[in-house]
Amino acid sequence: MSPVFPLQAKDVVFGYGTRVVLDGVSLTASAGQRLGLVGENGTGKSTLLRLLAGLEEPRSGEVRRGPDVGFLLQELPHPMEATFADVIDDALAEIRAAAARLDELTAAMTDRPDDAEVLEEYGRVLEWAQAHDLWDADRRAKLVCDGLGLGGVELHRRLGTLSGGQRSRLGLAALLIRQPGTLLLDEPTNHLDDAAMEFLERHLTELTGIVVLSSHDRVFLDAVCTDIVDLDPAAADRQAGGAVRYGGSYTGYLGHKKAERARWEQRYAEEQEELKELRETVAVTARNVAYGRGPRDNDKFIHAFKGARVQKTISRRVRDAEQRLENLERDQVRKPPAPLRFRAELTGRATGDGPAISVRALEVQGRLTLPRLDIGGSARLLVTGGNGAGKSTLLSVLAGRLAPTAGTVHFGPGVRVGLLEQDVAFPSPERTAARVYRDALGEDAPPLSGLGLLASRDLRQPVGALSVGQRRRLALAILLADPPDVLLLDEPTNHISLTLAEELFAALETAPGAVVIASHDRWLRRHWSGARLELADGAPVAA
């Protein structure tokens, strides 16, 4: 097997305009290591992956990588007229070329057995072929397509006829079929159902090369990663923009982070107490060590002598305290920043005793059939199912954005419905987040900073410069500034930080109105206590 070249980033700095995203990031990955990148939205996870892939160049610092790197693009680099088979053939092209070259070199060695150049090239190509499992490539292609839920797609299907989720899975399949030595994956689980995620977990853990990935799926991170790299600039033991690496799973990382925060807060509190005492010593205490009584007539000389010694001691103590105070004030522990906390109300009022939304004999041709559904005024409903099951279609109908082919959707009196879609786009990417928020809601809208969804530093950023997750936070802020009576969330954990996802679900307990969530998130489903609706092939699954 050919060696896997280490992947290295050293003191990498990168930004957009005046905004620095990564500042002094360093990491190293070797064969067999699978690194998970975590951190709040906007801390640079996607940016770092693009830098590691060579799609961006750092302002300073350096990235070293081997020649065999694969990066999961958000969209396939093929025209919409290309077919499913074209993508698979392209993924196998390098492997097939190597197979053909091996045949040519074998024939050449038969004719020229002593040709050193032919022998050298044959060894090099053979080593590459072994590293890429050349003789198993066609079987691997079928296994990968089947494992990612693409086995039923006809080879002649054009990309333009596939759903966005199918194209995303096809891009992932192409990368796994190619099997590069270094694999860089940005949110690879967004369009995967349970079976596909379990297949991907098994596949990645069996690879011998390097894997670096970002994901919102904590179950996936636990199953796959050998190390967690935290890009959150609020970490205690580094400067903003750096990175801290933790060995082990995501669950283990959470324990380390909690303990780290507790130690940071304790060090800060202890140092502040010492600073307070030193300031008091400099200002008051040392000078109070005065010679305590006036001199008697017969010991004025002794008193003056001892008084000089006391003053010398006082002076030394003051100087020592001042020096210690100066050192502490210069190098003091930073105050632990208050974490961004979700403070919005998820919904408005509950809508009384009757259903907020009633569905009867619903049909969206070729996509969804639902005989009956009633959503109470304070209901909690989780809609589950694989890709193409009809989850997003149902939410679009409930939001009034998609008219059904047949059936009725009845809304209670005055019921307002809000939908957070999977894909968020704003028409004016040059406008700041704060401006987009005010344009949508008016100047009298509650302050965006008060909702706990975007950090203050991001409010003045153009929305085009925000991460996908930050744009979803902004869309959610616009939705919750005047909370709807029924809130519909389509895959709310996609591209949203793990911390915010947990806070959203905690807010469900106090929201007075109804919430309907469509999600494949395994952590959410394991902890869900409300009602469920499972869909398969556009229809409800019998309980």
Side-chain angles (χ1 to χ4, degrees), residues 146-408:
D146 289 346
L148 295 180
L150 297 168
V153 180
E154 298 89 348
L155 293 175
H156 65 269
R157 282 277 300 274
R158 298 193 181 280
L159 300 184
T161 68
L162 302 179
S163 69
Q166 286 175 316
R167 288 198 300 272
S168 175
R169 282 179 281 145
L170 181 54
L172 177 58
L175 201 54
L176 298 182
I177 291 167
R178 220 189 89 205
Q179 198 163 297
T182 296
L183 201 55
L184 306 173
L185 304 174
D186 192 2
E187 298 287 359
T189 65
N190 273 356
H191 298 281
L192 303 184
D193 58 18
D194 283 4
M197 281 193 282
E198 289 168 4
F199 166 81
L200 181 60
E201 288 170 358
R202 291 193 304 270
H203 188 92
L204 293 180
T205 55
E206 290 170 0
L207 294 178
T208 58
I210 295 169
V211 180
V212 183
L213 60 89
S214 70
S215 176
H216 64 273
D217 188 321
R218 69 207 74 195
V219 178
F220 179 74
L221 291 170
D222 265 343
V224 171
C225 295
T226 60
D227 300 82
I228 299 295
V229 177
D230 185 5
L231 298 179
D232 189 344
D237 54 354
R238 70 181 189 283
Q239 297 300 314
V244 175
R245 183 167 176 165
Y246 300 82
S249 68
Y250 178 75
T251 298
Y253 151 79
L254 289 178
H256 287 304
K257 283 283 286 185
K258 185 177 181 180
E260 178 186 82
R261 175 81 185 196
R263 289 194 299 270
W264 186 6
E265 290 175 346
Q266 182 179 356
R267 288 201 308 271
Y268 177 76
E270 290 173 350
E271 189 172 86
Q272 290 302 304
E273 183 63 29
E274 184 178 359
L275 283 167
K276 178 182 176 182
E277 292 174 357
L278 284 170
R279 290 178 182 124
E280 184 176 342
T281 296
V282 169
V284 180
T285 306
R287 292 181 174 83
N288 283 344
V289 189
Y291 196 62
R293 59 178 176 82
R296 294 187 295 271
D297 290 340
N298 62 351
D299 65 356
K300 287 183 179 180
F301 174 79
I302 296 175
H303 186 276
F305 175 74
K306 290 185 176 180
R309 286 174 51 195
V310 167
Q311 292 303 316
K312 187 175 181 180
T313 299
I314 292 173
S315 179
R316 185 179 66 252
R317 289 178 181 177
V318 170
R319 284 198 307 272
D320 290 346
E322 287 175 339
Q323 183 63 48
R324 174 64 177 157
L325 179 61
E326 181 182 343
N327 292 339
L328 270 185
E329 287 181 334
R330 183 182 64 244
D331 302 320
Q332 64 180 294
V333 174
R334 290 186 302 125
K335 182 179 181 180
L340 190 63
R341 292 296 186 202
F342 178 68
R343 294 185 293 274
E345 293 290 337
L346 282 182
T347 70
R349 63 187 176 90
T351 55
D353 297 330
I357 306 176
S358 295
V359 172
R360 297 291 184 272
L362 175 69
E363 182 179 348
V364 178
Q365 190 170 8
R367 297 164 64 181
L368 180 64
T369 300
L370 186 62
R372 180 188 180 110
L373 177 65
D374 289 319
I375 299 173
S378 57
R380 300 289 184 269
L381 177 64
L382 177 63
V383 183
T384 64
N387 293 305
K391 302 188 300 294
S392 295
T393 298
L394 175 59
L395 262 59
S396 294
V397 170
L398 296 178
R401 299 188 183 185
L402 177 64
T405 309
T408 61

Side-chain angles (χ1 to χ4, degrees), residues 349-359 373-379 398 409-417 484-488 512-516:
R349 63 187 176 90
T351 55
D353 297 330
I357 306 176
S358 295
V359 172
L373 177 65
D374 289 319
I375 299 173
S378 57
L398 296 178
V409 181
H410 177 73
F411 298 90
V415 169
R416 295 185 303 111
V417 181
D485 306 313
V486 179
L487 178 62
L488 310 174
V515 180
V516 180

Side-chain angles (χ1 to χ4, degrees), residues 462-490:
V463 292
L466 297 178
S467 71
V468 176
Q470 287 171 314
R471 291 197 293 272
R472 285 203 92 193
R473 284 178 180 251
L474 177 58
L476 185 61
I478 292 171
L479 197 60
L480 300 185
D482 184 15
D485 306 313
V486 179
L487 178 62
L488 310 174
L489 301 172
D490 195 357

